[in-house]
Amino acid sequence: MKIIEKQLETILAGTIRKVRPDAPTGKLFFTKTNDEQFGDQQTNFAMAASKELKANPKQLAGEIVEALASDPSLTKVDIAGPGFINLTLSERFIADEVTKIGREEYDFSFLDRQGTVVIDYSSPNIAKPMHIGHLRSTVLGDSLKRIYRWLGYTVVGDNHLGDWGTQFGKLIVAYRRWLDRDAYQKSAIEELERIYVLFGQAAEADPSLEEEARAELKKLQEGDPENRRLWQEFITLSLAEYNRIYDRMGVKFDTYHGESFFHDRMPAMLELLIEKGLAKESEGALVVFFDESEKLHPCIVRKQDGAFLYATSDLACLQFKRETYTLNRAVYVTDERQQPHFKQIFRIARMLGWNEQLDHVWFGIMRFGDEKFSSRAGNVIKLDELFTEAVRRARLVIEEKNPELPAEEKAAVAEMVGLGAVKYADLSQNRISAVSFEWDKALSFDGNTAPYLQYTHARIRSIARKAEETGRPADPDAQITITTPAERRLAVQLLGFPTAVLKAAEGYKPNLIAEYLFELGQRFNTFYNSNPVLKEGDAVMQSRLALCLRTADVMKEGLNLLGIAAPERM
Ligand code: ARG
């Protein structure tokens, strides 16, 4: 099925060909009206085309409106302001379109989906526990991956692990001196973190330790077998822990190409930069300088001591992506502090003549309103602890709302609600702004929260169950008819789903899907409070039940795009 905007564009293009065969139809597009009283959809075509046609926009709009008026999919067509054309869809048309939801696939053939979209997200640094700072990248990246896949793109989710940095020299030294075997056995990451911190303290008193760590790092990077073995062990143990958390979160990756993966490519990358005249020696280091107008700091790609840097691995990584995939685009999801880094990388890519679309999807910091959590040193709330706390709290809420639920189901639902609440608190915000997280707000069943949306979904499923129990199961071929204003508002919202997803993809803004779902939830609840379903006679009952079920399906699908599960009962 075609999305509404595209259908209207086809209708309008046909009309224009009749009234103004010379008009350009390339600039033709529709958007939802801001205010329902002006109709459902709006186009500024008359204004956009008036210049080229040397016509008065209002008059041009008038001609179009007259010709459009008889179209059976519209009940009202009028002109607003300087020449906007506002359309009101007919109830018949809305009902027919809503009926198609779930039966026909959406047609997104107008998108340029050639090649592969590579999304780099989460990307923690090895041997450190995943903490709250990793939440947004993980959750945002995962959602974007789901969104792009849903739209039919080929997507590769990549975890660009920090597995090659200076921390390894220090860890190797610390490991040999201070490792507590038992603790390491119990929780490798925590023990590694402990000895890493210990190293920092010890090195302050004894700077020769830093020297030692550098030597170990060098040995590692040159392939010393013992250091390699330790390094591999740190990675394996860290990944086991990360994957446990990813599993809990329902987050998956297609590749784990960490910084080390690009080590062997780095010398050739530097050669290329030198050969193209982009990198120059400067005080023993190799540096890319930018034009003054770029307002970018020079980018060091090799240090005096010969070590490669973060930028070097990202350049080699991008080169690898270009060679391995036909790139549709490369997307990087990190916090706002990495903006200068990616500006440099993207600029160098252009200087090399690499012309693929490159997008840095950055986000603001997440803060915690909760005293207990925020008072712990800095921003190091461990993700695992955060989820456990969320699930514990969710469990209490469910216990109170639905004590009859079997214990096992309660636990499963608490997991979905707890994680959903945390993810949604993040994804429902504009990613550019700093987010402040508050438990009570995130876990509330009212307002713009995951539990509210999950509950709306479960409520609909329970209506369907009740219909079955009373011997009037939903008819899969039910004819939907739109008679009440609440039905209409709900149905129109349902039709807007694919457009909301498109917008979310376009701006890398899952919050637009959250906004959409919240509006859907509200419209559903208004509908359900004033339009009885199960009390009605068969025709109305089946039509309304069909509308309910479409709502549940869209809600579930939308939540899924945010990486949030929708329980059947809660
Ligand atoms: N490991 C980095 C960090 O924790 C994030 C890596 C992001 N991706 C990249 N290709 N640079 O800050």
Side-chain angles (χ1 to χ4, degrees):
M1 68 188 286
K2 280 198 156 70
I3 68 169
I4 290 305
E5 287 80 357
K6 293 287 165 200
Q7 296 211 45
L8 295 177
E9 282 163 27
T10 311
I11 294 173
L12 181 57
T15 307
I16 291 166
R17 268 194 297 275
K18 275 187 240 150
V19 278
R20 286 285 190 147
D22 52 335
T25 44
K27 283 182 209 145
L28 210 171
F29 56 86
F30 274 92
T31 51
K32 215 171 75 183
T33 53
N34 288 330
D35 188 334
E36 290 162 60
Q37 67 172 349
F38 299 128
D40 300 303
Q41 292 272 335
Q42 180 169 76
T43 179
N44 66 354
F45 172 78
M47 286 125 84
S50 62
K51 257 214 181 108
E52 226 168 303
L53 291 173
K54 297 196 178 63
N56 171 310
K58 247 187 155 149
Q59 194 185 331
L60 180 59
E63 288 171 35
I64 296 170
V65 164
E66 212 182 289
L68 267 180
S70 59
D71 194 283
S73 35
L74 308 169
T75 49
K76 214 169 106 200
V77 189
D78 41 27
I79 308 171
F84 287 105
I85 300 172
N86 292 342
L87 306 183
T88 302
L89 304 172
S90 73
E91 277 70 31
R92 175 83 255 161
F93 176 77
I94 295 171
D96 287 347
E97 288 302 307
V98 170
T99 304
K100 291 184 198 162
I101 297 177
R103 293 190 185 166
E104 292 180 22
E105 299 229 350
Y106 292 110
D107 174 3
F108 295 120
S109 57
F110 53 88
L111 293 170
D112 171 16
R113 294 177 293 189
Q114 278 178 44
T116 303
V117 176
V118 182
I119 309 182
D120 168 330
Y121 59 103
S122 195
S123 308
N125 294 332
I126 292 291
K128 292 188 186 145
M130 286 235 266
H131 57 75
I132 184 73
H134 298 108
L135 182 69
R136 297 201 84 182
S137 172
T138 307
V139 164
L140 253 170
D142 178 57
S143 176
L144 292 173
K145 191 178 80 179
R146 291 163 184 264
I147 290 169
Y148 273 85
R149 283 217 172 121
W150 191 82
L151 289 171
Y153 288 86
T154 305
V155 186
V156 167
D158 183 37
N159 195 333
H160 190 86
L161 295 169
D163 60 1
W164 205 230
T166 50
Q167 77 262 40
F168 288 101
K170 299 177 187 178
L171 277 171
I172 290 169
V173 172
Y175 181 95
R176 293 195 178 124
R177 290 185 183 226
W178 304 303
L179 191 82
D180 173 341
R181 279 268 151 215
D182 286 343
Y184 190 57
Q185 213 100 77
K186 258 191 227 124
S187 167
I189 290 203
E190 269 176 47
E191 178 57 9
L192 288 174
E193 192 193 27
R194 186 188 71 86
I195 61 173
Y196 187 73
V197 171
L198 213 58
F199 177 94
Q201 292 160 352
E204 254 172 51
D206 176 7
S208 76
L209 281 172
E210 295 281 2
E211 208 50 55
E212 208 180 305
R214 261 195 293 277
E216 294 301 340
L217 181 67
K218 196 149 190 270
K219 270 167 69 186
L220 167 67
Q221 297 192 334
E222 283 163 0
D224 172 80
E226 182 50 23
N227 281 9
R228 280 271 174 163
R229 192 191 62 71
L230 275 181
W231 166 76
Q232 191 56 59
E233 182 177 308
F234 299 156
I235 294 180
T236 308
L237 294 171
S238 301
L239 265 184
E241 171 71 5
Y242 298 162
N243 282 330
R244 199 176 55 75
I245 297 173
Y246 292 138
D247 277 349
R248 185 172 192 188
M249 294 176 78
V251 170
K252 289 194 182 75
F253 298 91
D254 303 292
T255 54
Y256 287 81
H257 290 153
E259 290 173 38
S260 69
F261 181 83
F262 304 104
H263 179 72
D264 293 340
R265 303 183 71 98
M266 293 200 224
M269 185 65 230
L270 294 184
E271 281 303 312
L272 181 66
L273 290 173
I274 295 168
E275 183 195 308
K276 296 261 179 181
L278 302 182
K280 299 192 175 62
E281 292 277 344
S282 169
E283 296 168 38
L286 199 59
V287 185
V288 178
F289 293 95
F290 302 98
D291 200 77
E292 213 165 306
S293 62
E294 309 271 3
K295 296 195 173 65
L296 287 173
H297 286 296
C299 179
I300 305 175
V301 287
R302 197 195 61 217
K303 287 204 285 194
Q304 281 108 323
D305 65 3
F308 305 128
L309 288 120
Y310 186 48
T312 332
S313 80
D314 256 325
L315 286 167
C317 169
L318 180 54
Q319 187 187 42
F320 169 81
K321 286 176 187 166
R322 299 182 74 241
E323 286 171 9
T324 309
Y325 313 103
T326 308
L327 276 186
N328 177 290
R329 68 187 79 186
V331 181
Y332 302 81
V333 187
T334 81
D335 72 46
E336 58 193 5
R337 291 169 302 181
Q338 299 207 24
Q339 285 180 88
H341 167 73
F342 284 105
K343 278 190 187 141
Q344 290 179 328
I345 299 297
F346 294 177
R347 185 63 209 138
I348 295 173
R350 292 294 179 256
M351 289 155 87
L352 285 164
W354 299 352
N355 286 321
E356 288 86 355
Q357 183 176 339
L358 305 172
D359 291 311
H360 181 211
V361 175
W362 55 272
F363 52 84
I365 302 293
M366 193 166 198
R367 285 198 198 84
F368 272 69
D370 184 277
E371 290 291 319
K372 185 175 128 218
F373 265 100
S374 59
S375 60
R376 295 198 193 159
N379 217 5
V380 289
I381 303 162
K382 293 189 181 135
L383 271 193
D384 221 16
E385 287 176 19
L386 175 71
F387 293 143
T388 302
E389 177 67 4
V391 171
R392 188 187 68 80
R393 287 171 182 253
R395 177 84 194 229
L396 296 177
V397 180
I398 290 157
E399 203 76 60
E400 188 196 306
K401 297 249 173 200
N402 197 349
E404 274 99 69
L405 221 53
E408 213 172 284
E409 196 172 342
K410 250 182 219 158
V413 171
E415 187 76 19
M416 296 187 217
V417 171
L419 266 89
V422 172
K423 287 184 179 186
Y424 193 85
D426 178 344
L427 290 172
S428 60
Q429 305 294 316
N430 187 337
R431 62 177 162 80
I432 319 195
S433 39
V435 170
S436 78
F437 182 93
E438 281 158 51
W439 285 112
D440 292 339
K441 226 164 107 193
L443 283 163
S444 165
F445 273 50
D446 306 305
N448 192 8
T449 66
Y452 170 73
L453 302 177
Q454 289 170 317
Y455 182 67
T456 302
H457 169 266
R459 192 175 177 196
I460 299 174
R461 295 286 179 228
S462 112
I463 299 168
R465 278 193 300 273
K466 210 172 270 160
E468 245 166 73
E469 283 159 21
T470 51
R472 301 168 83 202
D475 169 8
D477 300 318
Q479 173 69 48
I480 296 178
T481 44
I482 306 285
T483 50
T484 70
E487 286 174 335
R488 189 185 195 285
R489 292 191 73 234
L490 174 60
V492 166
Q493 181 68 6
L494 284 169
L495 295 183
F497 180 55
T499 307
V501 181
L502 284 164
K503 291 243 155 70
E506 206 176 276
Y508 301 109
K509 287 180 166 180
N511 64 302
L512 298 180
I513 293 179
E515 230 165 70
Y516 168 85
L517 293 177
F518 182 44
E519 181 68 30
L520 179 65
Q522 287 180 305
R523 288 190 187 199
F524 172 78
N525 287 308
T526 308
F527 154 80
Y528 191 59
N529 291 337
S530 57
N531 292 231
V533 177
L534 300 181
K535 280 192 222 132
E536 299 288 337
D538 282 348
V540 175
M541 178 267 191
Q542 286 296 350
S543 165
R544 288 195 178 154
L545 190 54
L547 211 46
C548 288
L549 290 174
R550 297 290 192 289
T551 305
D553 290 345
V554 168
M555 188 63 87
K556 185 173 186 165
E557 208 159 346
L559 284 170
N560 185 44
L561 292 179
L562 302 178
I564 298 174
E568 293 295 303
R569 298 194 282 186
M570 62 188 272

